[in-house]
């Protein structure tokens, strides 16, 4: 066995699970595709994580969580899960690089990634005016005209960040009401350079070397107009990173179904955070899920094998 508890994904859910699992004495390993932190790394400021009343940068919170998990002995391995199988002893996880990892118990905390708009020009203009990360790309649009697509918490949070650099930010939303929480709606209303275009969708991206505009469609009248812009930031929701998870564990939107112990239908296999069905997608909730999953993964291991697993 490579470890007692393998945690796939090192965002807030995975990092929190690692803190709890390693601190409880289990040989704990995190498997991470790119870098720890998950979507937190794309967030300029998290201002609703208890204990940080002034807010904390996603990057800083990630650093603290990773340091914390490593302090208790959790290890970080870089790689991407391609398939997970139950074995007699536990679980076998095939990685995309061909490596196989074996673990007695597994917590899936792979989170979710951005949902593309799926309109002409989006792929061609990726990184040439089309972005999915305000924190990463906002500073490139200093003094420029920008559009933010979407009406959820991400769209409004990112619009506030991009407005620190851009000359103008126009939020394009397909309905007449934002999905985002009231406090964010109030904040954007107070920034004069943030405008809104409600009942509108982006139908196409226009430009040559980079984006110079979009075609907007009024969802009420059907009228199409050209709208000049230097950049478009897309925040139209999330797709769970569950491609490697057996289909029978997923709901209709491919999120992992769990019970209150974060257990899936396969004993010893747990899920935590944004990849989980019904999750309230907040950093604090992901961290809570991770703690719960690690606790019950530990209980399950001890019930199955006794205390032999403890370091
Ligand atoms: P979301 O809440 O699912 O919002 C997605 C937005 O994109 C919605 O306004 C939706 O419109 C719109 N949309 C979806 N598909 C579209 C399409 N094809 N064309 C145009 N618009 C489209 O996603 P999110 O904002 O990324 O947030 C995800 C989760 O993370 C949420 O649970 C959110 O609360 C959480 N989050 C929290 C914070 C925070 O607490 N500070 C920050 C960011 C995210 P409709 O409204 O019409 O469906």
């Amino acid at each position: 066995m490579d470890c007692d508890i393998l945690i796939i994904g090192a965002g807030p859910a995975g990092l929190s699970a690692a803190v709890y699992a390693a601190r409880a004495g289990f040989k704990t390993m995190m498997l991470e595709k790119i870098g720890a932190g998950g979507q937190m790394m794309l967030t300029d400021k998290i201002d609703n994580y208890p204990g940080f009343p002034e807010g904390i940068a996603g990057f800083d919170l990630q650093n603290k969580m990773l340091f914390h998990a490593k302090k208790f002995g959790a290890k970080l391995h870089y790689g991407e899960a391609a398939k997970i199988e139950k074995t007699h002893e536990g679980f076998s996880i095939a990685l995309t690089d061909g490596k196989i990892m074996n673990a007695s118990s597994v917590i899936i905390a792979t989170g979710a990634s951005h949902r593309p708009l799926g309109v002409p020009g989006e792929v061609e203009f990726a990184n040439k005016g089309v972005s999915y990360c305000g924190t990463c790309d906002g500073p490139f649009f200093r003094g420029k005209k920008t559009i933010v697509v979407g009406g959820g918490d991400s769209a409004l949070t990112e619009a506030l960040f991009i407005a620190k650099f851009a000359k103008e930010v126009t939020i394009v939303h397909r309905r007449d009401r934002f999905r985002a929480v009231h406090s964010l709606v109030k904040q954007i209303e107070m920034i004069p350079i943030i405008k809104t275009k409600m009942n509108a969708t982006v139908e196409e991206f226009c430009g040559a070397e980079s984006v110079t505009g979009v075609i907007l469609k009024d969802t009420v009248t059907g009228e199409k107009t050209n709208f000049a812009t230097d950049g478009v930031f897309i925040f139209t929701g999330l797709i769970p990173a569950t491609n490697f998870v057996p289909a029978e564990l997923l709901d209709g939107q491919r999120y992992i179904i769990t019970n209150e112990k974060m257990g899936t239908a396969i004993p010893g296999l747990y899920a935590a955070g944004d990849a989980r069905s019904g999750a309230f997608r907040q950093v604090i909730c992901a961290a809570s899920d991770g703690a719960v999953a690690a606790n019950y993964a530990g209980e399950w291991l001890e019930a199955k094998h006794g205390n032999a697993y403890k370091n």
Side-chain angles (χ1 to χ4, degrees):
M1 284 290 163
D2 293 301
C3 57
D4 302 331
I5 301 180
L6 178 70
I7 299 160
I8 308 179
L15 289 165
S16 163
V19 167
Y20 275 75
R23 184 170 180 269
F26 294 99
K27 188 176 173 192
T28 303
M29 197 171 271
M30 293 174 281
L31 176 68
E32 171 56 48
K33 189 165 67 164
I34 307 170
Q39 290 177 77
M40 270 197 305
M41 295 296 280
L42 310 179
T43 308
D44 173 44
K45 193 166 100 173
I46 297 164
D47 65 3
N48 54 4
Y49 197 86
F52 297 97
E54 307 303 327
I56 179 165
F59 178 80
D60 293 338
L61 189 55
Q62 174 274 149
N63 261 343
K64 285 179 186 290
M65 287 186 179
L66 182 58
F67 178 80
H68 202 162
K70 285 184 169 174
K71 187 191 117 178
F72 287 127
K75 301 272 185 280
L76 180 62
H77 178 88
Y78 286 102
E80 183 175 3
K83 193 172 183 187
I84 181 164
E85 276 179 325
K86 181 93 182 83
T87 62
H88 183 62
E89 297 81 19
F91 294 89
S92 165
I93 298 92
L95 309 193
T96 51
D97 63 7
K99 189 177 182 329
I100 302 284
M101 294 180 84
N102 291 295
S104 304
S105 176
V106 172
I107 298 171
I108 301 172
T110 40
S113 57
H114 67 260
R115 184 198 305 280
L117 258 187
V119 303
E122 182 177 10
V123 174
E124 293 82 342
F125 288 117
N127 300 319
K128 295 174 185 163
V130 172
S131 170
Y132 303 88
C133 178
T135 308
C136 320
D137 298 330
F140 295 124
F141 291 85
R142 194 176 291 277
K144 308 256 173 146
K145 272 186 83 175
T146 59
I147 284 178
V148 165
V149 185
D153 288 341
S154 296
L156 271 61
T157 303
E158 298 293 315
L160 287 167
F161 180 72
I162 297 160
K164 293 179 186 172
F165 310 96
K167 179 170 74 180
E168 185 180 293
V169 180
T170 302
I171 303 176
V172 174
H173 182 38
R174 64 183 177 183
R175 289 191 292 134
D176 61 354
R177 285 193 61 186
F178 285 120
R179 179 180 292 278
V181 291
H182 183 67
S183 60
L184 281 171
V185 177
K186 283 277 155 225
Q187 283 183 65
I188 63 145
E189 283 172 359
M190 287 167 64
I191 312 280
I193 64 158
I194 300 183
K195 324 264 182 207
T196 56
K197 262 201 184 300
M198 308 305 274
N199 295 318
T201 52
V202 171
E203 296 292 293
E204 192 174 335
F205 294 89
C206 314
E209 296 291 299
S210 62
V211 168
T212 53
V214 292
I215 297 174
L216 292 183
K217 182 179 170 187
D218 186 309
T219 56
V220 178
T221 64
E223 187 192 352
K224 291 189 180 178
T225 50
N226 289 308
F227 191 93
T229 189
D230 303 303
V232 182
F233 290 84
I234 299 169
F235 303 105
T236 45
L238 301 170
I239 299 174
T242 55
N243 280 351
F244 67 97
V245 180
E248 64 269 24
L249 301 184
L250 305 178
D251 69 12
Q253 293 182 302
R254 301 195 59 79
Y255 287 95
I256 304 166
I257 300 166
T258 57
N259 59 24
E260 73 285 356
K261 295 180 177 179
M262 305 298 140
T264 69
I266 300 178
L269 181 61
Y270 297 79
D274 283 6
R276 196 171 70 74
S277 182
F280 180 33
R281 297 190 167 84
Q282 303 286 306
V283 178
I284 184 71
C285 302
S288 164
D289 280 6
V292 173
N295 177 57
Y296 287 108
E299 275 195 6
W300 183 79
L301 284 174
E302 283 173 3
K304 197 170 168 216
H305 302 284
N307 274 337
Y309 271 87
K310 294 259 179 168
N311 288 329

